[in-house]
Amino acid sequence: MDGPAGPRPLDGRVGGRSLDGHEAGVILERARAVVDPALRSALESLPGSLRRIALYHFGWEHADGTPAAGNAGKAIRPALVLTAATALGGEPAAGAAVRAAAAVELVHNFTLLHDDVMDRDTTRRHRPTAWTVFGDADAILAGDALQALALRLLAEDPHPAAPAAAARLAACVVELCEGQHEDTAMEQRSPGEVTLEQVLLMAEAKTGALLGCACALGALYAGAGPRDVEAMDAFGREAGLAFQLIDDVIGIWGDPSRTGKPAGADLAARKKSLPVVAALVSGTSAAAELAELYTAPYEGEDLARTALAVERAGGRDWAQAQAAERMARAMHQLSRAVPDPEAAGGLLSLAEFVTRRSA
């Protein structure tokens, strides 16, 4: 699956630099390199049983506690914190924001641990999820501990922006919980009871909020004023919606060898993802077929038929077009806070990365 092209400022280049995945890859690698030590230090401070679960979840230990060289994720959110700080305040601001970047990544992984339990997902990052190895209760408690660690990192940070950052991150966690609650509640409703507006609002709370918060924290650590902080938050939220749209597309049509998750898991769980809801409200014959499939118990042979019904009803095309639209809105918000294309280049690269990925 190829993501939507989206707008490409200055004919695909910013300040003479390419805005392709290679530059985003470099940014992500650098973020991982500077944030991982802070994350490891935080995790090592946990009590032994919780530490083992957390280190397993991050891919740094096997289930038996022996060291592993696993995949701790792409580091998109901490990269946004550091890159936003650089765009608004330069390298010193990014260096000062490492704790904030680690805090955002801890909150992200708190949500993953809890989401996997609630969604009963058995695979993440090409290995069994924590709850399947340690049990529901231990995975939930490890997630709780990660959230507490995130706020402790900011509470102990002497940077003058830390109190505002802690308050903003705490408010974001409440919004994330609201979004997840709405997502769970939607699963109990019939296909005809969920509107596109409802699912977009849910996606903004569940996904866009943390990307927006990451960008806003970077701006705070750069000493930006309220107007620029809010513009950066809006940029991250729009990019986050684009991210979720593409993630939902990948959840249906992605390659399991690249995603680390079974193909069509969202369809099997009858999740009302963005492409599915767009298809359900399309008024087409395929929408009627999809609604019928979604009200019946899942059977393995229905998977291909369900995916085809979503596509025929326009769900896939809508999601890709909507991702491009959200990217355009994100670019506009970014230009308000960082009008210089050279300074905005890293953030533009990351925004394009999340809508061009295929896994």
Side-chain angles (χ1 to χ4, degrees):
M1 187 282 304
D2 292 328
R8 295 183 64 83
L10 301 186
D11 197 24
R13 302 181 70 81
V14 167
R17 296 174 302 170
S18 173
L19 291 183
D20 59 20
H22 174 71
E23 183 178 343
V26 170
I27 294 169
L28 293 169
E29 287 175 13
R30 288 175 180 168
R32 188 95 267 168
V34 299
V35 172
D36 276 1
L39 287 171
R40 284 180 177 271
S41 177
L43 297 185
E44 289 294 340
S45 73
L46 290 172
S49 57
L50 292 175
R51 180 172 65 245
R52 180 177 170 188
I53 300 164
L55 288 170
Y56 171 83
H57 169 75
F58 273 87
W60 293 330
E61 282 190 2
H62 296 294
D64 61 4
T66 56
N71 173 19
K74 295 182 177 69
I76 291 169
R77 290 153 192 84
L80 285 170
V81 176
L82 300 176
T83 309
T86 301
L88 286 159
E91 289 301 328
V98 171
R99 277 176 177 256
V104 168
E105 186 71 346
L106 286 168
V107 164
H108 173 54
N109 281 276
F110 138 69
T111 68
L112 297 182
L113 281 162
H114 283 203
D115 285 359
D116 286 343
V117 173
M118 286 183 276
D119 296 341
R120 311 314 287 172
D121 285 338
T122 58
T123 305
R124 181 171 294 281
R125 298 167 183 162
H126 304 279
R127 68 196 317 222
T129 47
W131 73 268
T132 66
V133 176
F134 301 100
D136 288 2
D138 283 355
I140 291 168
L141 290 169
D144 293 341
L146 294 189
Q147 182 192 166
L149 282 179
L151 294 176
R152 192 181 78 186
L153 278 179
L154 294 176
E156 295 176 348
D157 190 350
H159 194 281
R168 196 170 196 106
L169 187 59
C172 179
V173 168
V174 173
E175 189 173 356
L176 291 171
C177 292
E178 178 189 20
Q180 179 63 22
H181 177 268
E182 184 63 18
D183 188 23
T184 304
M186 283 182 184
E187 302 315 306
Q188 308 306 315
R189 301 174 194 161
S190 69
E193 293 178 331
V194 177
T195 69
L196 202 50
E197 181 181 8
Q198 287 173 329
V199 78
L200 281 167
L201 288 172
M202 178 273 293
E204 180 179 352
K206 187 177 174 182
T207 303
L210 189 55
L211 270 72
C213 184
C215 295
L217 262 58
L220 285 170
Y221 273 75
R227 177 184 174 277
D228 288 345
V229 171
E230 293 308 320
M232 292 302 294
D233 183 270
F235 160 73
R237 284 175 180 270
E238 295 291 358
L241 269 175
F243 179 99
Q244 188 60 57
L245 284 153
I246 295 303
D247 199 61
D248 284 354
V249 169
I250 291 170
I252 299 174
W253 295 283
D255 180 354
S257 69
R258 301 190 64 185
T259 65
K261 295 183 178 182
D266 286 354
L267 296 181
R270 298 300 193 240
K271 289 187 72 67
K272 296 176 181 69
S273 63
L274 288 158
V276 166
V277 175
L280 285 168
V281 301
S282 67
T284 62
S285 59
E289 179 186 0
L290 179 61
E292 182 179 345
L293 287 165
Y294 253 54
T295 54
Y298 170 72
E299 296 182 9
E301 60 268 22
D302 287 340
L303 188 59
R305 183 183 168 197
T306 307
L308 182 60
V310 176
E311 187 156 14
R312 286 176 50 233
R316 185 173 185 171
D317 288 344
W318 175 88
Q320 292 179 327
Q322 184 68 199
E325 170 62 22
R326 295 293 175 170
M327 271 290 290
R329 296 186 191 184
M331 302 295 189
H332 171 69
Q333 294 294 343
L334 179 59
S335 70
R336 292 175 55 211
V338 191
D340 177 17
E342 175 69 24
L347 288 167
L348 290 168
S349 292
L350 289 173
E352 288 223 328
F353 172 81
V354 302
T355 56
R356 287 180 175 274
R357 65 203 178 92
S358 58

